[in-house]
Amino acid sequence: MLGSLLLAGSRVPLVRRAVSGVPLTRKVVDRFVAGETPQDAVEAVRRLTGAGLTVTIDHLGEETRDSGAAAGTAQAYTVLLGALRELDLGDRAEVSVKLSAVGQALGADGDKIALENARRICEAAHAAGADVTLDMEDHTTVDSTLGVLRALRDDFPRTGVALQAYLFRSEADCRDLSHEGSRIRLVKGAYAEPASVAHRDKAEVDKAYVRCLRILMAGGGYPMVATHDDRLISITELLADRFGRSRGDYEYQMLYGIRTDKQQALAGAGHTVRVYIPYGDDWYGYFMRRLAERPANVAFFLRALGGK
């Protein structure tokens, strides 16, 4: 119930102003967000890759309603990728892109604008030896996102995409996309979706995640297993063994600032662990989804507000 309320609040302007206006909110945001500038993001990249981890970087923002702002987001990614090129990290550093931030939400021409801006980002990533993964947003954007993905893969076949296990459709999408060379990030899902399109019960979401994971592990693609759940990590290892996958045939992905001890333990055991690094000043929606995911995050927030 608390998670649903927080997700609903993530789209209410009055709640946004209230949360953003609390000075101590920044103290908590710093746990989940690397900073506001490209330099902040690059510093986090240096630190994490130096510790044996890999990274994917998200320039925060979503649901852009202005074509100039969408182009500006694409430009921010090209600047960031230019900085990553100087680090010569190759595919140890990639970027994650929300299509709604680069034009998808701009009416009838949204898909075309998003594709053009995403293509610019892919070109910059290719020059840096890096990859691009398309984030998935609420269920109304799935078909559009997969359409842009197909168009991008004509020229940039390593473009990845996130699929959300809690959506009823995702098992079929996993089957469609689990082919040779396809990079798929599997997440549980972090949007407030109606019961008509998504599982709402946590146990059912977990079961759906395992079903999707099994499809990806059995397929020919490259699964990117985005979870902090020890039980799901154990199941991943069992499925990898069952389907003959080595540790280079899949990877784990975890969020910046969450379960850093587990990130290091898995990397120390020889797994590829990719940390999702968000940066930028438009942090509100991302922050609220992180609070909604785990009660411990809410408790951390409240302790910070209380000065403890």
Side-chain angles (χ1 to χ4, degrees):
M1 177 63 73
L2 177 59
S4 297
L5 290 172
L6 288 167
L7 288 173
S10 71
R11 294 194 171 188
V12 177
L14 180 63
V15 177
R16 181 187 185 111
R17 288 193 295 272
V19 173
S20 302
V22 177
L24 284 173
T25 295
R26 186 71 237 182
K27 176 180 177 182
V28 189
V29 172
D30 286 343
R31 171 179 173 173
F32 303 116
V33 177
E36 295 191 352
T37 70
Q39 292 76 19
D40 292 330
V42 169
E43 179 55 36
V45 169
R46 290 182 187 274
R47 177 167 48 82
L48 292 169
T49 56
L53 300 161
T54 62
V55 299
T56 185
I57 309 151
D58 172 21
H59 177 74
L60 290 170
E62 52 197 84
E63 296 187 4
T64 298
R65 303 289 177 177
D66 176 83
S67 59
T73 296
Q75 178 62 20
Y77 272 106
T78 62
V79 170
L80 174 66
L81 285 158
L84 293 180
R85 185 176 183 177
E86 295 298 315
L87 297 181
D88 195 27
L89 293 171
D91 64 3
R92 294 177 61 203
E94 65 158 46
V95 295
S96 291
V97 178
K98 286 181 173 60
L99 290 180
S100 77
V102 294
Q104 187 182 49
L106 294 174
D109 292 329
D111 285 3
K112 178 183 177 183
I113 296 169
L115 175 58
E116 290 172 352
N117 284 324
R119 192 179 297 280
R120 286 178 56 200
I121 296 168
C122 286
E123 288 168 353
H126 181 74
D131 293 318
V132 175
T133 296
L134 303 181
D135 281 327
M136 192 64 74
E137 300 177 70
D138 71 66
H139 76 279
T140 65
T141 69
V142 176
D143 287 329
S144 168
T145 299
L146 295 181
V148 171
L149 174 73
R150 287 190 291 271
L152 289 172
R153 282 184 170 178
D154 286 342
D155 295 316
F156 306 99
R158 284 184 55 82
T159 305
V161 70
L163 294 178
Q164 300 174 112
Y166 69 171
L167 295 179
F168 298 147
R169 63 173 290 168
S170 289
E171 288 179 60
D173 289 332
C174 284
R175 292 189 186 93
D176 289 343
L177 290 166
S178 60
H179 52 77
E180 185 74 26
S182 180
R183 299 170 57 253
I184 305 299
R185 174 193 296 151
L186 183 63
V187 303
K188 287 185 179 181
Y191 291 84
E193 299 285 16
S196 58
V197 301
H199 298 287
R200 303 287 292 272
D201 178 73
K202 181 183 182 303
E204 292 304 316
V205 173
D206 286 351
K207 290 175 185 177
Y209 191 97
V210 173
R211 291 194 298 270
C212 289
L213 180 60
R214 189 184 190 284
I215 292 167
L216 296 178
M217 283 292 191
Y222 180 75
M224 300 181 287
V225 185
T227 184
H228 306 94
D229 188 320
D230 286 328
R231 189 170 61 89
L232 292 178
I233 291 169
S234 295
I235 291 170
T236 299
E237 297 304 299
L238 290 172
L239 290 173
D241 183 64
R242 178 181 302 175
F243 294 110
R245 285 184 176 268
S246 70
R247 289 182 177 177
D249 292 334
Y250 64 100
E251 68 181 48
Y252 289 107
Q253 297 196 355
M254 295 186 177
L255 297 172
Y256 180 83
I258 298 180
R259 298 215 65 190
T260 55
D261 55 342
K262 190 65 175 181
Q263 294 172 17
Q264 291 289 352
L266 287 169
H271 292 284
T272 298
V273 179
R274 193 172 302 275
V275 181
Y276 188 101
I277 302 176
Y279 83 99
D281 56 11
D282 192 5
W283 48 261
Y284 176 76
Y286 178 85
F287 172 67
M288 291 295 281
R289 287 192 292 276
R290 299 295 77 78
L291 291 185
E293 283 174 343
R294 297 178 66 235
N297 293 341
V298 180
F300 179 77
F301 180 42
L302 294 175
R303 285 198 301 272
L305 293 182
K308 298 179 181 179

